[in-house]
Amino acid sequence: MEPFLFASEAFLLWLLLAADAVSAFPRPPQRLGAQKILHDTLSLPRRNLTLPVHDPAPCQRITELERNRKGYLYGRSLIGDSSYFISGELGDRLIKEHLDLWYRDAAWVSEAVENGSRAVAEAVARGGGLGDLASYELLYRDQWQEVNPAGVAPGVHTNYTQDLFFSMERLSANAFSVRRLHPTKDRLPFAVEESIVQKLTGLSLSTLHVTGRLFLSDHSYQLDYLDTLSKGRYSAACSAYFYIHPVSNEFLPLAIKTNVGENLTYTPLDEHNDWMLAKMLYNSNDLFHGQVSHLASSHAVAEIVHQAALRTMSKSHPVRAYLDRIMYQAYAIRPVGESALFSNGGFFDTVFSTTNPAVRRFATKFYPATVGRFRANYLVSALESRGLINCTYGPALQHFPLFEDAAPVVGAMRRFATSFVDAYYLEGDLMARDHELQEWALEATGPAKVLDFPTWPLMQKETLVDILTHMAYLTGVSHHVLNSGTPCTTTGVLPFHPAAIFQPIPKSKGVKSLLPYLPDLGTSIAQIGLFIRFNRAKLIDGRGCLVNMFSDDGFLHGQPNEVQKAAEEFKGKMEEISKIIRGREFDQEGKAQGIPFIWRGMDPSSVPYYLSV
Ligand SMILES: *[C@@H]1O[C@H](CO)[C@@H](O)[C@H](O)[C@H]1NC(C)=O
Ligand SMILES: *[C@@H]1O[C@H](CO)[C@@H](O)[C@H](O)[C@H]1NC(C)=O
Ligand SMILES: *[C@@H]1O[C@H](CO)[C@@H](O)[C@H](O)[C@H]1NC(C)=O
Ligand SMILES: *[C@@H]1O[C@H](CO)[C@@H](O)[C@H](O)[C@H]1NC(C)=O
Ligand SMILES: *[C@@H]1O[C@H](CO)[C@@H](O)[C@H](O)[C@H]1NC(C)=O
Ligand SMILES: [Fe+2]
């Protein structure tokens, strides 16, 4: 009993210290009971929707828009330099409203995570502590049930040492960092010993390259962040090759180069511990990438397009209503991020190896270069440009879970957006005569500085459908496959995905034990707690989940029958997809979608329809 009490007390002390370090985390005004949250506010207030050309009271609309242009202003970007953050008198009011909504949800999650942290610390102590890799499972088994009811994805703890597990995470849980190398336009960024490549693949590195079978995930840009490391924490800046095996056609890892210190290159032919460490170093870099890029790719983009709409379209405009609906609570996230997650000594600094300046540098660099570009990140375009689908210079991927699951969801979003646009723009020239819509497009490409937005004037219904589909994709798909429930179920699960590394990166191979590199009990619980804070268990199967993105009385009030019908169809399709995803099981080979774990990150009944955190 003694050691157990001691461990538990030490942990409570740690909790207090950690809580102090992150005291900037916004607290709700009062503690709310677990049941008293979600989601009486989720409905969009009723409006009478009309295009400006049909509005019987055009003067009121003009007055409203004058007020909006004065009241919603473009302010300083938050968390690095990406898109403007909203400001002005009306903007500030909206932020406050959204923060209030956000706290209502977060209050319960926070409290439950704190309770869960205590329970886990006791369970691990009872189980003998974190003495080996297997014991990290104690951090999850029968824990966190309220806040993460789905638990860790099936197969994660049993199969994480398999190479296919590691490689297929690149095509499911974070499919945004890997690309296929082009045979002529891309050069090989690093060499791998030829005998090893031959032994693993039966081909040479250059043959893999010219036949379009070689892929790269490059986190070497993280070298620029190494001056931000926390004391006692370390990081590599890995680049990794993956390849399509010429016989099995499986997508597998080939090599990982650390890019730091002795620049060691690891391969699956290394000793077990060395190769495992290399994969963990990579995972740590990739976790940074997934978590930080989601900020600039979903929040920063969706917000700025919506901000342009707030200034140019009346509340009565159907397109504005569509955007308002999916931008529920969205303006809470960047301020909360700024003040608690990425503040000095905040959650990010507590959990990751690098500290918050790295996050700001990443956003500043990658927002204009890649992730902030509107059209370039349409689902199909983004995957095509990285050679993952419709590739003309190499074989197709045998399995691509992200695309398999996201494509039908985005297809359904497109069908809804098409019905929506068709229902309002009945005649050919109505879009041209809709001066609010045109002002929006002009504003977006002009003062709002949305990058790579479709050009003004906005004349084609198809283009408007693309925009609305992409906005729904940003708030209902791309955000959640990276953030929300993803890190707590897959990409951030210990011991394989440490957010921080606690030993210097080795100068030579032959590492004896992986344990010293991994977070200890307190830091492990902090990592898990942070990632669970991104999850929103209370909205599973409820009004806030993706199934109900368009099925909302307030939003549908007074809308044409075609829109009502399209919302029903969308809902039906999401329920169907959810059933498939929830029913997914391991096949005889112990895989699902070709991967040795069950990926449910895209379940429309479990992910929010909005930018939840
Ligand atoms: C919508 O229009 C109806 C009829 O003109 C009116 O009675 C109602 O107040 C309007 N609702 C809103 C929210 O403006
Ligand atoms: C946290 O634990 C306390 C004390 O057991 C309990 O009263 C409270 O309801 C728990 N909170 C949540 C959100 O589970
Ligand atoms: C390791 O590689 C990085 C990036 O490729 C380079 O900047 C660095 O100089 C190299 N260091 C050594 C010791 O070779
Ligand atoms: C790209 O791939 C998708 C899915 O496989 C397919 O539906 C689409 O038609 C392809 N597009 C082109 C241009 O080949
Ligand atoms: C993955 O783990 C599950 C148990 O969680 C097991 O049934 C399955 O066979 C494993 N798959 C492989 C490929 O080992
Ligand atoms: Fe987010």
Side-chain angles (χ1 to χ4, degrees):
M1 233 28 222
E2 279 296 301
F4 159 65
L5 281 177
F6 173 75
S8 162
E9 274 160 25
F11 174 70
L12 286 178
L13 179 64
W14 173 86
L15 249 189
L16 288 174
L17 294 172
D20 195 43
V22 295
S23 60
F25 188 66
R27 297 261 160 198
Q30 82 233 16
R31 295 237 150 172
L32 297 155
Q35 301 313 316
K36 206 192 158 307
I37 60 155
L38 285 181
H39 262 136
D40 45 313
T41 54
L42 263 170
S43 194
L44 194 72
R46 290 180 167 208
R47 306 169 183 183
N48 292 328
L49 301 180
T50 54
L51 295 183
V53 288
H54 299 142
D55 199 319
C59 292
Q60 261 169 287
R61 251 169 124 122
I62 290 166
T63 318
E64 181 197 342
L65 287 172
E66 273 170 10
R67 215 170 42 232
N68 288 356
R69 280 196 178 273
K70 284 203 195 94
Y72 294 113
L73 301 175
Y74 299 114
R76 182 174 70 84
S77 177
L78 294 183
I79 315 170
D81 201 1
S82 57
S83 63
Y84 294 120
F85 187 61
I86 199 167
S87 68
E89 201 185 322
L90 294 176
D92 289 346
R93 200 180 302 162
L94 189 62
I95 297 167
K96 194 183 168 308
E97 259 171 48
H98 284 194
L99 280 168
D100 287 345
L101 294 170
W102 191 86
Y103 290 144
R104 288 161 55 101
D105 291 355
W108 175 81
V109 178
S110 250
E111 190 178 308
V113 165
E114 282 164 27
N115 284 359
S117 301
R118 273 180 231 114
V120 168
E122 288 167 15
V124 174
R126 253 194 322 271
L130 297 178
D132 55 17
L133 287 194
S135 60
Y136 277 78
E137 202 188 336
L138 295 174
L139 291 160
Y140 301 91
R141 195 188 295 151
D142 304 325
Q143 301 294 333
W144 312 108
Q145 281 154 341
E146 272 185 303
V147 268
N148 185 17
V152 168
V156 167
H157 277 127
T158 45
N159 304 343
Y160 72 86
T161 57
Q162 298 173 20
D163 276 353
L164 192 64
F165 180 100
F166 174 68
S167 53
M168 291 306 288
E169 282 193 294
R170 317 281 69 82
L171 299 179
S172 52
N174 182 9
F176 298 90
S177 73
V178 73
R179 66 188 174 92
R180 192 190 307 245
L181 290 172
H182 189 280
T184 53
K185 290 180 203 152
D186 289 313
R187 307 178 56 154
L188 293 183
F190 65 98
V192 186
E193 206 178 297
E194 271 311 329
S195 62
I196 294 176
V197 182
Q198 278 288 347
K199 197 161 173 193
L200 282 168
T201 74
L203 299 173
S204 68
L205 191 63
S206 74
T207 305
L208 286 171
H209 181 203
V210 299
T211 54
R213 289 180 176 272
L214 192 61
F215 296 72
L216 177 72
S217 171
D218 181 7
H219 294 306
S220 62
Y221 58 87
Q222 291 184 27
L223 284 170
D224 294 344
Y225 312 149
L226 298 182
D227 63 333
T228 76
L229 290 173
S230 291
K231 194 161 174 286
R233 297 189 185 192
Y234 305 87
S235 177
C238 297
S239 357
Y241 284 138
F242 299 86
Y243 70 104
I244 296 179
H245 193 282
V247 178
S248 71
N249 276 316
E250 279 183 329
F251 179 82
L252 291 164
L254 180 64
I256 297 172
K257 185 182 184 226
T258 60
N259 289 323
V260 297
E262 297 304 310
N263 273 344
L264 294 180
T265 297
Y266 293 87
T267 76
L269 297 185
D270 284 321
E271 292 297 322
H272 176 80
N273 271 354
D274 286 327
W275 179 232
M276 280 300 292
L277 177 64
K279 291 190 280 188
M280 287 170 170
L281 295 176
Y282 170 91
N283 280 345
S284 183
N285 293 140
D286 201 62
L287 185 56
F288 175 97
H289 176 274
Q291 292 320 298
V292 179
S293 71
H294 107 271
L295 261 177
S297 69
S298 57
H299 293 281
V301 177
E303 280 178 31
I304 192 63
V305 172
H306 182 243
Q307 282 179 54
L310 289 172
R311 287 170 50 85
T312 51
M313 289 193 277
S314 155
K315 267 184 138 122
S316 310
H317 199 294
V319 169
R320 163 81 190 273
Y322 177 107
L323 296 174
D324 286 354
R325 163 70 183 161
I326 65 177
M327 290 300 283
Y328 173 75
Q329 190 206 262
Y331 295 100
I333 313 304
R334 283 204 277 176
V336 169
E338 187 77 82
S339 69
L341 187 51
F342 306 115
S343 51
N344 289 330
F347 278 99
F348 185 88
D349 289 6
T350 312
V351 167
F352 281 81
S353 272
T354 51
T355 52
N356 70 87
V359 172
R360 296 166 203 279
R361 282 185 221 164
F362 180 96
T364 304
K365 178 171 171 184
F366 284 85
Y367 177 82
T370 48
V371 298
R373 305 190 65 78
F374 196 78
R375 281 176 298 180
N377 285 292
Y378 289 177
L379 179 67
V380 167
S381 320
L383 300 180
E384 268 178 1
S385 69
R386 288 190 280 119
L388 301 182
I389 57 169
N390 300 335
C391 182
T392 54
Y393 52 87
L397 291 166
Q398 199 174 27
H399 296 282
F400 190 0
L402 173 90
F403 189 66
E404 284 162 27
D405 285 7
V409 172
V410 175
M413 287 168 167
R414 173 170 299 278
R415 281 194 296 282
F416 179 80
T418 305
S419 304
F420 188 81
V421 169
D422 284 344
Y424 285 100
Y425 297 101
L426 295 167
E427 301 133 50
D429 65 342
L430 262 183
M431 277 178 66
R433 285 162 55 212
D434 183 342
H435 62 267
E436 290 183 9
L437 185 81
Q438 297 305 334
E439 284 290 324
W440 173 50
L442 195 58
E443 178 85 8
T445 50
K449 297 194 183 158
V450 182
L451 303 175
D452 190 32
F453 198 71
T455 48
W456 174 86
L458 194 53
M459 299 304 214
Q460 304 298 324
K461 285 205 256 182
E462 177 90 13
T463 314
L464 180 55
V465 169
D466 286 344
I467 298 171
L468 297 184
T469 303
H470 190 57
M471 286 293 284
Y473 164 75
L474 291 178
T475 71
V477 177
S478 96
H479 182 274
H480 315 302
V481 297
L482 284 173
N483 189 247
S484 299
T486 293
C488 68
T489 53
T490 47
T491 54
V493 176
L494 290 164
F496 195 44
H497 310 88
I501 304 293
F502 292 84
Q503 284 288 306
I505 310 307
K507 292 195 163 60
S508 59
K509 295 185 185 177
V511 61
K512 295 276 178 304
S513 166
L514 295 170
L515 279 186
Y517 293 89
L518 294 174
D520 63 11
L521 178 58
T523 318
S524 294
I525 293 175
Q527 169 171 336
I528 297 167
L530 170 61
F531 293 148
I532 288 183
R533 280 178 158 90
F534 298 161
N535 199 32
R536 286 290 174 269
K538 285 274 169 187
L539 56 72
I540 295 172
D541 293 324
R543 287 165 62 192
C545 72
L546 181 54
V547 167
N548 295 312
M549 183 173 238
F550 303 114
S551 291
D552 166 56
D553 289 346
F555 172 62
L556 290 176
H557 168 74
Q559 294 226 40
N561 285 338
E562 302 90 297
V563 175
Q564 311 268 355
K565 204 165 138 263
E568 269 307 300
E569 278 168 19
F570 179 84
K571 182 175 183 170
K573 183 69 189 172
M574 290 306 108
E575 283 167 345
E576 189 189 311
I577 293 171
S578 173
K579 217 166 151 194
I580 294 170
I581 293 178
R582 288 186 176 183
R584 201 167 268 156
E585 302 274 4
F586 287 114
D587 59 19
Q588 290 97 321
E589 293 183 336
K591 300 176 198 161
Q593 300 178 293
I595 52 185
F597 62 96
I598 298 186
W599 186 60
R600 297 203 171 101
M602 195 51 268
D603 171 17
S605 299
S606 302
V607 301
Y609 73 80
Y610 58 95
L611 298 165
S612 44
V613 336

